[in-house]
Amino acid sequence: MIELEHVSKTFRTKTNTVHALKDISLSVSKGDIFGVIGFSGAGKSTLLRMVNGLEVPSEGRVTVNSLSVAELKGKKLRAFRKDIGMIFQHFNLLESKTVYENVALPLKLAKKSKGEIESRVKDLLHFVELDDKILSYPKELSGGQKQRVGIARALALNPSILLCDEATSALDPRTTDSILALLKKINRDLGVTILMITHQMNVIQQICNKVAVLEKGSLIESGSVIDVFGNPKSPVTKNFIRTVINDRLPESVKSFLKNYTGSQKVLRLRFDGKNADEPIMADAIRETGVSISILYGIVTELEEKIVGFQTVQLRGSEEQIAAAEKFFDERNVPKFPVEL
Ligand SMILES: Nc1ncnc2c1ncn2[C@@H]1O[C@H](COP(=O)(O)OP(=O)(O)O)[C@@H](O)[C@H]1O
Ligand SMILES: [Mg+2]
């Protein structure tokens, strides 16, 4: 649905040249909540703005719903943009207009009739649970309420795609949760595909099904949220994940393993519900003769599934350890190496 192929963006100013995006390829499918995470300056906003044509790539191609964005002009570009809603960190509301007028704005620009505008605005404000704020001004609203107005406005023309630029970064944790729940509802009930950029890993953890990590303009890692959380490859990704799930082996366990003199293998196993009702560990011990000691574990929710990670020590002969590894493969328990 959204396709970036080898996209680069270079900004040239009088004094310097910034390579904001370097050879980015990614693909967002219909129905995804796709998260792009990175530090400030990583190029996230630039990437997002490529999707609705606010920025044009220096190299590469952006395709949305089979349309090459760079080739759209005039009427076609305007029609295309109506299908893409956008929300912002600082809401971008018109302070001198009421909530009603803010939400009505895109409908007015699209030359809808007065009656149509009135019923649509009321429906939208009901959907975002702001029925009672219809005549308020932005300054009379909390941050969360302002973002709800921003969301209602973004949905006014029934877009199939919603772009979110740090939509929860100015909000406290509880308000963030309620906005994320609303975005989830928009995705599930209205079928809107969401591309969101953020520097907060908890946002990715709570609602995304896919994630890409952007660092200094390069895409360093991407995949399903379960895969990336389960086996992050780059140090940056690992650090982002540690902000939400602490899956680091305690030092005491590490030193025990380092000093262990017998034949051993340390693995991190992932359990995601598919095999929850099978006595995997007991079967592994019985079938392969290996001993298993459970060192550390966490359980979390990702992609709306309960996912557990167990770090285990396998003890036994080399053959037994190899047989146990094969056993986990056969029972579809993903396993990852552990650095000591
Ligand atoms: N219009 C512009 N002109 C010059 N440099 C820009 C422009 N827009 C963004 N940049 C630079 O591109 C880099 C990425 O910016 P941005 O996409 O806003 O990052 P992020 O959203 O991840 O914080 C930054 O170094 C920024 O200064
Ligand atoms: Mg930004």
Side-chain angles (χ1 to χ4, degrees), residues 153-215:
R153 183 183 57 187
L155 295 178
L157 298 174
N158 271 317
S160 67
I161 296 172
L162 181 64
L163 305 177
C164 309
D165 190 340
E166 301 274 2
T168 58
S169 297
L171 306 174
D172 64 64
R174 233 176 79 187
T175 311
T176 293
D177 289 350
S178 80
I179 294 296
L180 292 179
L182 177 59
L183 292 174
K184 184 98 218 176
K185 184 167 101 166
I186 289 165
N187 173 257
R188 197 185 44 218
D189 298 354
L190 308 179
V192 175
T193 302
I194 299 181
L195 176 59
M196 52 194 318
I197 62 171
T198 179
H199 66 275
Q200 300 167 301
M201 203 56 166
N202 64 315
V203 168
I204 307 276
Q205 182 191 22
Q206 283 185 56
I207 65 165
C208 295
N209 63 322
K210 294 200 192 123
V211 59
V213 184
L214 202 59
E215 193 192 25

Side-chain angles (χ1 to χ4, degrees), residues 213-276:
V213 184
L214 202 59
E215 193 192 25
K216 296 186 185 135
S218 297
L219 205 157
I220 55 171
E221 202 157 341
S222 67
S224 84
V225 164
I226 288 183
D227 285 344
V228 173
F229 272 66
N231 191 28
K233 304 228 161 44
S234 71
V236 172
T237 312
K238 285 180 189 170
N239 282 329
F240 273 126
I241 291 171
R242 278 188 196 123
T243 62
V244 287
I245 54 177
N246 180 11
D247 198 15
R248 223 180 200 158
L249 271 188
E251 282 308 315
S252 58
V253 176
K254 278 191 185 175
S255 73
F256 159 75
L257 292 169
K258 279 182 194 156
N259 294 325
Y260 186 77
T261 51
S263 156
Q264 67 163 340
K265 177 112 195 190
V266 182
L267 291 175
R268 189 159 177 264
L269 304 175
R270 186 180 92 201
F271 296 91
D272 56 15
K274 272 187 261 155
N275 37 30

Side-chain angles (χ1 to χ4, degrees), residues 41 44-46 89 165-166 197:
K44 304 183 298 294
S45 296
T46 306
Q89 177 174 6
D165 190 340
E166 301 274 2
I197 62 171

